[in-house]
Amino acid sequence: MILVTNNILAFNKYGKEIEVKFNEETLCELLFRVRDFVHSGHKLLTHPLSGSVKPNETCFKSVLISERKEGTDFESLKIIENSIQLVKNFQKYEIPKEYLKDLREIDLTLIGGAIRK
Amino acid sequence: MNLKLGYIQIRDIQFAKTSAIKDGVLNVNAKELEALVLEDENFASVKFDIARPGESVRIMPVKDVIEPRVKVSGDGDIFPGMISKVQTVGSGVTHVLKGAAIVTTGQVVGFQEGIIDMTGLGAEYTPFSKTLNLVVDFTPIKNLTPHKYEESLRKAGLRIAYEIGKLGKEITPDEVKEYEFLPLLESIAKYPNLPKVGYVQMLQSQGLLHDTYVYGIDMKLSLTTMLSPTEVFDGAILSGNCVSACDKNTTYHHQNNPVIEDLFEQHGKTLNFCAMIITNENVFLMDKQRSSDWTAKLTKYLGLDGAIISQEGFGNPDTDLIMNCKKVEEAGVKTVIITDEYAGREGTSQSLADADPAADAVVTGGNANQVITLPPLKKIIGSIGHVEKIAGGFKGNMAKDGSITVEIQAIIGATNELGFNRLSAR
């Protein structure tokens, strides 16, 4: 599996165990990048809207995708497209810097549970 | 299983030297409770406060709301597997301190959400503006990790509710309701002409701040399973879910699950309420596949005619909801789903992260992106922090007079997906 993330903690923790595609980018940019991977034949392994922290309350997300490329998986495509659509419904605003540490930690915990499986 | 719930109506909460219930007034010795809480060395201090309906009080960030209950007779004890030992509950007699609630607050992580306003417009959006709230504000020791803080806070709230519940053991209830849940074959034999209806409850189970416990087991580790709905009344399902204030199920919601209550109300009249299935909402798509397969298998095996499926949370669980709905329908069982929506401020955008034509009977708890303005209130319990920036809010939303404009997702229980809320439409 491949981890697509904009969370540096996830990169630092899992970079040696599995392939990690890390970019410093916004949540939307991250989701677009995941969609590109799906278009090129990777399957989603975890849900792109994992966690109930709302898209305008967090800026970090880690998503697991399959290593193997096959034909486009339409179930994955539907999930990522719907997720992007829903994220657009939220008003954007600046997230206070002092919260970033906790938000990275929550994302790390959520994806950590999935990776351990 | 047969369970009698005896409701003791609480009219007021007061701090007092001796904890007791007298003439409907719940007297609480805060010192004793403080000592109980501080047995956990993860807490540096704890504060108790009382918030009554109509008072100019705002409570935030709320972590859990719990109703004090006590087991008077029957097997097991309240909050099994978490506070009391693991033993099947849901039969005998349980007393409920109706009208009272324990509200826990604490800043587990930096960002905050979960508002209860006791008066004003905000009060209309949360059911806990109508309860007498004993609010417990926990301060952890330095450098405690969020995981440990969350666990300590969750258990402390339940212990307090357990201790306060015990005060009602010898009190004669004002009202008693009886709930009977028969073994499947007996239930079918008793009501052969009524449609067999089951309840599928989806439980939040994604990770830190997003967990639910059933008899002490973290639900993300469980396969889809079954229990008697009367077990839920005794605290078999407990909330460890501190995120998504508007549509998370607090422990109070579980204890008073209105889907269960309404199904019991119709039981033997219009339908035969003969099964309750619980399933999880994990982040791994393979888990979703497995859990929804099991949900469908069970509904088919039980021979249900219909199922009500309730969701918890936002985004990721939308996918579980639709998988459950689609597969249960494919198994030949009619479904009604209960969800809420994030349809943008105008309410015109796509509102769920997933959809399917099989989901043709939907009940909504409301649009969580709806914007309201909360008036300034005199007293804050907990900490207001950066509510204007973070909790369903946006930059510059605090007016000069101190009023704040937020999306209703900031308010505890505003769009609850069990239908335990005050929003309605005509």
Side-chain angles (χ1 to χ4, degrees), chain B residues 45-66:
Chain B
S45 65
V46 60
K47 276 190 297 189
F48 291 87
D49 219 320
I50 295 165
R52 301 177 181 86
E55 290 181 346
S56 185
V57 174
R58 173 166 297 145
I59 312 166
M60 80 162 289
V62 173
K63 293 296 161 226
D64 200 7
V65 183
I66 310 154

Side-chain angles (χ1 to χ4, degrees), chain A residues 47 51-52 54 89 93 99 102, chain B residues 110 206 210 244 319 350 389:
Chain A
H47 199 284
S52 291
K54 301 300 178 303
N89 291 353
Y93 58 86
Y99 299 158
D102 285 336
Chain B
Q206 299 185 67
H210 294 78
S244 202
T319 300
Q350 177 182 328
K389 286 183 186 166

